[in-house]
Amino acid sequence: MTVQQAYQAAVAAGTLHEDAAQLAVLPELERVRGALAEPVKRGFFRKATAATPGLYMWGGVGRGKSMLMDLLYEQVDAPKRRRHFHAFMQWVHTEMTEARKSGVDDAIAPVAAKLADEVRFLAFDEMQITDITDAMIVGRLFEALFSRGVVVVTTSNRPPDDLYKDGLNRQLFTPFIALLKDQMVVHELASPTDYRQDRLAGSPSYFTPNDAAARQEIADIWARLSNGQSETLVLHVKGRQVALENFHNGTAKVKFFDLCGKPLGAGDYLALAAAVRVLILEDIPSLSRHNFNEAKRFVTLIDALYEAKVQLICSAAAAPEMLYVEGTGTFEFERTASRLREMQSAEWAR
């Protein structure tokens, strides 16, 4: 089945609504599928596949980028792998650590060789570079993959020129941007419709009190956004790891204590805000001088989510204005309560 046929079948079945911007990118997706459908002759792997450009799809949140990539992935009949980009970089770091144990001088080369031996097609969701270590790795890794004929399709919320924007030593990263633009077709998915918002249309985003009804509402929202799928996303922050056990397609579900009851800081929350587009935060308790440290972390978390325009869905012991009513910091918390209110509006994160 071609990608166009698969798309129209989904439209006919009522699981998709036809979208002009999505229709415009289908020929590029089919180009990739068709190239990967060609048989690979023994001894000519590089020659047969190296000339196939990949695809870099970028656009706003909820425009259908991940859905289209999944549609392509289902139709590709070749050795393949699909990962969220942060999860992929986690795997790369693990493999490089293992490679160093063997005494190699260049830990990237064996990782790239292993990957190229295993797959012809790599699909990445949410490409975003926020860490200087990742920025230094991806250029050489992708160059090796492209030279071995691996075809890459990725989604991103930003164009290649905005990757790692304002990052430390960004001038060392710009050759990777040039490599992406040389080896991949860059296509903006400029749909006016945010389908992720549509899935949440009419649904509240702040549930209180934190009772059985709230827990069921949260469970229902997670089910709609995750489609019953989940994986662990590990964020690397200054040599440490922050694990999000429930993650799918840009949405993470986590308990308050796991983010604010542990010794995390602004760097951790900034990395989280860069990695997710929707955060489901469960079981926010009443805050006071008795859990002052947790309250301070919560304020920092909300600031990071607010600035990054991350959509927040949460269950809490009380309304925002009543979460922190006594103890040091109540005045400062007024801004957090105001932001929590603003983040509940229908226009938030659009």
Side-chain angles (χ1 to χ4, degrees):
M1 185 181 295
T2 67
V3 176
Q4 289 95 332
Q5 289 170 337
Y7 184 90
Q8 293 301 335
V11 170
T15 57
L16 286 181
H17 295 286
E18 192 168 271
D19 181 290
Q22 293 174 4
L23 289 171
V25 76
L26 293 183
E28 287 295 337
L29 296 170
E30 176 58 21
R31 172 185 61 77
V32 172
R33 188 209 65 80
L36 289 167
E38 294 294 322
V40 178
K41 296 181 181 179
R42 187 182 299 276
F44 291 89
F45 178 82
R46 295 185 186 180
K47 182 178 180 181
T49 59
T52 303
L55 178 63
Y56 185 107
M57 277 190 297
W58 72 276
V61 173
R63 266 55 186 183
K65 302 183 299 293
S66 299
M67 176 276 296
L68 290 169
M69 189 174 68
D70 286 343
L71 202 67
L72 167 65
Y73 191 82
E74 291 168 2
Q75 303 308 316
V76 167
D77 184 16
K80 58 187 178 180
R81 186 174 301 175
R82 184 208 187 283
R83 301 294 295 273
H84 188 275
F85 189 73
H86 280 280
F88 171 71
M89 291 308 300
Q90 173 193 344
W91 176 85
V92 169
H93 284 289
T94 300
E95 291 295 315
M96 288 178 63
T97 299
E98 290 299 312
R100 291 189 186 101
K101 292 178 181 178
S102 65
V104 298
D105 294 328
D106 179 7
I108 296 177
V111 176
K114 177 180 179 180
L115 196 57
D117 286 341
E118 293 177 353
V119 302
R120 287 184 61 199
F121 175 47
L122 279 175
F124 295 128
D125 210 17
E126 302 271 356
M127 177 179 278
Q128 192 162 193
I129 310 293
T130 59
D131 180 82
I132 181 62
T133 304
D134 288 350
M136 295 301 97
I137 290 172
V138 292
R140 292 186 52 231
L141 177 65
F142 273 58
E143 185 176 16
L145 293 174
F146 289 142
S147 71
R148 295 284 296 269
V150 176
V151 180
V152 176
V153 172
T154 187
T155 71
S156 181
N157 293 328
R158 57 187 65 193
D161 287 329
D162 285 353
L163 288 173
Y164 197 51
K165 192 173 184 178
D166 302 321
L168 181 66
N169 293 323
R170 189 174 187 266
Q171 72 279 4
L172 301 177
F173 180 76
T174 52
F176 173 63
I177 295 175
L179 178 70
L180 287 180
K181 293 161 75 173
D182 180 63
Q183 297 289 330
M184 305 174 76
V185 173
V186 178
H187 186 103
E188 181 185 5
L189 193 65
S191 173
T193 305
D194 183 344
Y195 292 98
R196 184 175 289 170
Q197 288 283 356
D198 286 352
R199 288 199 295 273
L200 294 172
S203 174
S205 60
Y206 192 101
F207 299 94
T208 187
N210 187 22
D211 54 13
R215 287 190 290 274
Q216 186 59 55
E217 291 280 5
I218 291 286
D220 291 343
I221 290 174
W222 169 244
R224 291 203 301 275
L225 293 176
S226 68
N227 296 320
Q229 303 177 52
S230 180
E231 61 182 310
T232 298
L233 174 65
V234 178
L235 305 174
H236 294 267
V237 185
K238 297 180 180 179
R240 296 178 294 102
Q241 294 185 348
V242 179
L244 308 175
E245 294 185 0
N246 295 295
F247 177 83
H248 177 71
N249 192 22
T251 299
K253 182 169 74 75
V254 64
K255 300 284 188 181
F256 173 89
F257 181 80
D258 290 331
L259 283 184
C260 301
K262 297 180 179 179
L264 302 180
D268 303 292
Y269 300 139
L270 289 171
L272 169 65
V276 307
R277 303 317 308 158
V278 178
L279 179 67
I280 300 175
L281 184 64
E282 296 185 278
D283 303 335
I284 302 171
S286 295
L287 303 169
S288 68
R289 62 176 176 270
H290 300 295
N291 52 9
F292 180 66
N293 289 331
E294 288 87 341
K296 284 178 60 178
R297 295 187 193 109
F298 180 63
V299 168
T300 304
L301 170 65
I302 296 304
D303 285 345
L305 299 176
Y306 182 89
E307 295 298 335
K309 286 286 186 179
V310 174
Q311 184 163 4
L312 177 67
I313 299 167
C314 57
S315 59
E321 296 79 8
M322 301 303 293
L323 273 177
Y324 196 161
V325 295
E326 60 93 12
T328 303
T330 52
F331 178 77
E332 291 80 359
F333 194 81
E334 289 180 5
R335 184 186 69 164
T336 300
S338 175
R339 288 189 163 187
L340 285 171
R341 281 293 181 192
E342 184 180 350
M343 294 166 82
Q344 295 177 49
S345 70
E347 296 302 315
W348 176 253
R350 284 189 181 273

